Amino acid sequence: MIVSVTLNPTVELVYDLESLNINGVTRTNHVNKFPSGKGLNVSRVATLMGYDNIATGLLGDNLKQVVESSLDEDGMHHQFFQISGQTRNSVAVLHDGQQTEILEEGPTITADEANAFIEHYDTLIADAQVVALAGSLPQGLTPDYYIDLMHRAQKKQAKVIIDASGSTLKEVLASPINPFAIKPNLDEIQELSGQTIDTRDYQAIIQLLDDAIFEGIELIVISMGADGAFVKYGQRYFKASVPSIEVENAVGSGDSTVAGIAIALDQNEDIETLIKRAMTLGTLNALEKRTGYVTKENYPKYFDQTTVTEI
Ligand code: ADP
């Protein structure tokens, strides 16, 4: 069983306008409202592929029902913990060929809530093989909190995947406890290492991944969009290539890749199958308009067109 954790979800509002009347009123029926968060995407994709999972995290009373009814519609299992603060909205306005976004900072989690969520989490992970900690931390929680969640899961023999960026990922990697897997994209690995990566220079990537900060992490998947991925597993290295497709919306492809890693670990698949599964789900997401969404029937076709080569 897979548990995904989304500590800072949002309900996105997307207004698709022909033009925006600045300092005036713009009326529209073209609005889309949906819950968004990396862990939610991981769980949705695992659900769509038919694998047992549960989504958890923190939700304010203001949007709890909106989020939960949307997850119900998608047939997802979820057990969120209610906080006293308000879950954030984010607003994207598509207008005049441009995109304007407003992102709320979100709630501040109290120490009592942080402790109470740990209890809730401990119950949920009792039977988990894999735990995916995905996305940013809300105000009030520090990277130590992710490290604690990771430690608790590992004590129960679960494999932990961390998909975070910036200082959160940096601090997690600096801690003495290591996640089983991370999935940085190119930008994230460049930020982490302070180096620019030439995706064709495999030896330079190998050298970079031999840096002490990555020591003890079993699986590192550097996802590279249409260029597939570079993977380190133990002391083995792989390059994955994905088929060339017409992209509808690649937002959420990284989360779908994390879903693939989680499913493969849950199913004890070999490393080549894991990489192909992770890549295929990223590609399937890019074929869809909806973020964090895949069509299961497309899976075999794209799986067969994905290749993995050991370096
Ligand atoms: P992130 O969303 O974290 O930035 P990527 O953009 O690297 O992640 O995408 C994750 C994976 O999704 C890639 O490794 C690849 O398998 C798949 N993918 C993403 N973009 C494309 C694309 N244009 N064509 C085919 N597959 C893609």
Side-chain angles (χ1 to χ4, degrees):
M1 207 259 287
I2 301 162
V3 175
S4 76
V5 180
T6 310
L7 295 176
N8 204 9
T10 153
V11 172
E12 268 191 58
L13 311 177
V14 180
Y15 295 101
D16 195 350
L17 311 176
E18 267 174 29
S19 64
L20 177 65
N21 194 357
I22 303 271
N23 204 25
V25 176
T26 307
R27 294 182 196 280
T28 183
N29 276 328
H30 295 152
V31 57
N32 230 320
K33 301 179 189 178
F34 52 88
S36 152
K38 280 174 169 287
L40 295 180
N41 291 339
V42 170
S43 268
R44 188 177 311 97
V45 170
T47 303
L48 288 164
M49 293 303 294
Y51 292 93
D52 194 16
N53 75 90
I54 187 153
T56 187
L58 305 173
L59 273 179
D61 188 32
N62 60 322
L63 292 174
K64 199 161 187 276
Q65 220 180 342
V66 177
V67 173
E68 291 183 341
S69 60
S70 165
L71 304 188
D72 287 341
E73 263 173 46
D74 286 331
M76 294 165 61
H77 294 144
H78 54 84
Q79 269 189 48
F80 275 77
F81 180 81
Q82 191 171 323
I83 51 167
S84 56
Q86 305 225 320
T87 287
R88 55 195 180 137
N89 281 116
S90 55
V91 178
V93 186
L94 315 176
H95 60 99
D96 309 291
Q98 296 177 309
Q99 179 159 343
T100 302
E101 291 191 40
I102 302 168
L103 302 178
E104 293 179 22
E105 283 197 335
T108 300
I109 310 305
T110 66
D112 283 349
E113 287 168 342
N115 289 333
F117 176 72
I118 295 266
E119 268 180 46
H120 174 86
Y121 169 85
D122 275 347
T123 320
L124 291 179
I125 61 168
D127 298 321
Q129 309 290 324
V130 183
V131 176
L133 304 174
S136 62
L137 289 164
Q139 300 176 83
L141 299 181
T142 63
D144 281 346
Y145 196 70
Y146 258 173
I147 294 166
D148 189 20
L149 296 182
M150 175 166 82
H151 195 202
R152 285 169 181 276
Q154 289 181 344
K155 276 195 294 195
K156 296 200 163 130
Q157 316 305 324
K159 290 178 174 153
V160 177
I161 310 168
I162 296 226
D163 188 11
S165 55
S167 59
T168 303
L169 182 57
K170 226 175 211 160
E171 287 198 35
V172 166
L173 296 189
S175 86
I177 306 151
N178 296 301
F180 184 87
I182 55 173
K183 191 228 65 73
N185 64 18
L186 257 189
D187 288 343
E188 287 159 352
I189 197 87
Q190 290 184 140
E191 191 194 339
L192 199 61
S193 63
Q195 293 182 35
T196 307
I197 291 179
D198 174 355
T199 55
R200 290 154 308 176
D201 188 350
Y202 299 164
Q203 287 315 315
I205 303 176
I206 290 173
Q207 212 170 13
L208 185 148
L209 291 178
D210 278 340
D211 191 288
I213 55 167
F214 299 114
E215 209 178 306
I217 305 170
E218 200 62 24
L219 175 64
I220 303 172
V221 177
I222 305 176
S223 69
M224 301 172 168
D227 288 332
F230 193 92
V231 178
K232 180 179 184 192
Y233 179 61
Q235 284 310 311
R236 298 169 70 190
Y237 298 90
F238 301 85
K239 173 70 185 51
S241 298
V242 292
S244 144
I245 58 160
E246 213 159 290
V247 174
E248 271 291 342
N249 168 23
V251 179
S253 279
D255 305 338
S256 306
T257 296
V258 171
I261 297 170
I263 294 168
L265 293 177
D266 187 44
Q267 301 294 311
N268 285 316
E269 289 175 345
D270 62 69
I271 184 63
E272 276 92 353
T273 311
L274 177 149
I275 297 169
K276 281 182 76 170
R277 185 183 277 287
M279 292 296 95
T280 305
L281 290 179
T283 302
L284 292 193
N285 174 77
L287 287 169
E288 304 283 338
K289 271 212 168 67
R290 196 173 159 194
T291 296
Y293 195 88
V294 297
T295 299
K296 188 180 177 188
E297 290 68 35
N298 289 335
Y299 185 81
K301 174 176 161 198
Y302 290 90
F303 184 87
D304 287 346
Q305 291 177 35
T306 302
T307 60
V308 176
T309 313
E310 185 155 7
I311 291 156

